[in-house]
Amino acid sequence: MAIGASGHLGWVIALRVLQGVFGALMQPATLGLLRAAFPPDRLNMPIAVRSAVIAASTAAGPVVGGLLVEHADWSWVFYLNVPLGALALALGVTVLRDAPRPAAPGRFDLPGMVVLGAALCAFVGGLTTVADQGRADARTLLLLASAAVLTAVFVWWERRAQDPLLPLRLFASTRFTVGVLAMTAMAFVMFGAPFVLIFTYRTCWVWRPPPPASGSSA
């Protein structure tokens, strides 16, 4: 709601960053809430519903957002989240009221989170420099090399941490590893496709050919 009410681009960017931070915190927390609210033999259905909602909202987001921007105002793209968030909050309070609390909650793996975040930032930064210049330069190679080193440090730390952010023993399961790789590939498509669709829309519908030069035949 604050983003929609902002009248300055700087505030919009700052609040979007804040929105992204809390959105990233919500993604893994939803799976933990589902595990606490449903028994293991009934967990497949709520996870499937969660995945379907994420996929449907990702596909419908550019379409609904484009319609709101074209026929209403850009701020309604963000105001639309207010009733949806209120509904999710009301349902969460109702459904999760009787969810059991963990008997012994684990410790927060802050070093692992910091190292992993730095590795991801370096990796994305390296890819961004390639997109800006169209080729890899010394800065690109330095960022990608830093991402590789930080990833190795993250793996080393996760092997030693008492309560790791990412328990590496999970990857001993072939089904889990294949599922993670499939979800990673799907994430690239899901988050990359809207970016491409925006430029496709602008090219097909916004672009108009220049008028013919004076004196030329039709």
Side-chain angles (χ1 to χ4, degrees):
M1 186 170 61
I3 296 173
S6 300
H8 191 274
L9 181 60
W11 278 108
V12 173
I13 295 176
L15 292 172
R16 282 287 285 168
V17 171
L18 188 64
Q19 186 183 34
V21 170
F22 284 98
L25 292 174
M26 288 175 59
Q27 285 291 330
T30 54
L31 290 175
L33 292 174
L34 290 179
R35 288 182 59 88
F38 294 89
D41 57 336
R42 297 177 55 192
L43 193 58
N44 291 337
M45 181 57 68
I47 291 181
V49 172
R50 172 186 179 273
S51 301
V53 170
I54 293 176
S57 59
T58 303
V63 178
V64 176
L67 291 175
L68 289 175
V69 171
E70 184 174 356
H71 298 288
D73 187 73
W74 68 269
S75 58
W76 283 99
V77 175
F78 301 98
Y79 289 149
L80 183 63
N81 291 326
V82 177
L84 295 178
L87 177 61
L89 182 61
L91 291 176
V93 171
T94 303
V95 175
L96 301 175
R97 177 178 300 175
D98 299 329
R101 296 181 177 271
R107 298 174 57 186
F108 191 64
D109 186 14
L110 182 60
M113 184 187 69
V114 172
V115 175
L116 179 61
L120 293 175
C121 289
F123 179 70
V124 174
L127 297 181
T128 303
T129 57
V130 175
D132 290 339
Q133 303 180 14
R135 58 181 178 83
D137 57 1
R139 183 177 58 172
T140 301
L141 297 177
L142 178 61
L143 287 172
L144 294 180
S146 301
V149 172
L150 289 171
T151 301
V153 173
F154 173 74
V155 173
W156 172 81
W157 172 257
E158 294 304 286
R159 291 180 179 273
R160 297 170 54 90
Q162 181 178 359
D163 293 307
L165 179 67
L166 179 61
L168 298 180
R169 64 179 182 275
L170 296 176
F171 291 94
S173 170
T174 303
R175 296 175 59 184
F176 177 82
T177 304
V178 172
V180 169
L181 294 177
M183 288 295 296
T184 302
M186 186 179 68
F188 273 96
V189 176
M190 289 180 60
F191 291 102
F195 180 78
V196 177
L197 290 175
I198 293 174
F199 292 99
T200 304
Y201 170 80
R202 291 182 61 86
T203 303
C204 296
W205 299 99
V206 179
W207 182 82
R208 294 293 183 272
S214 59
S216 62
S217 58

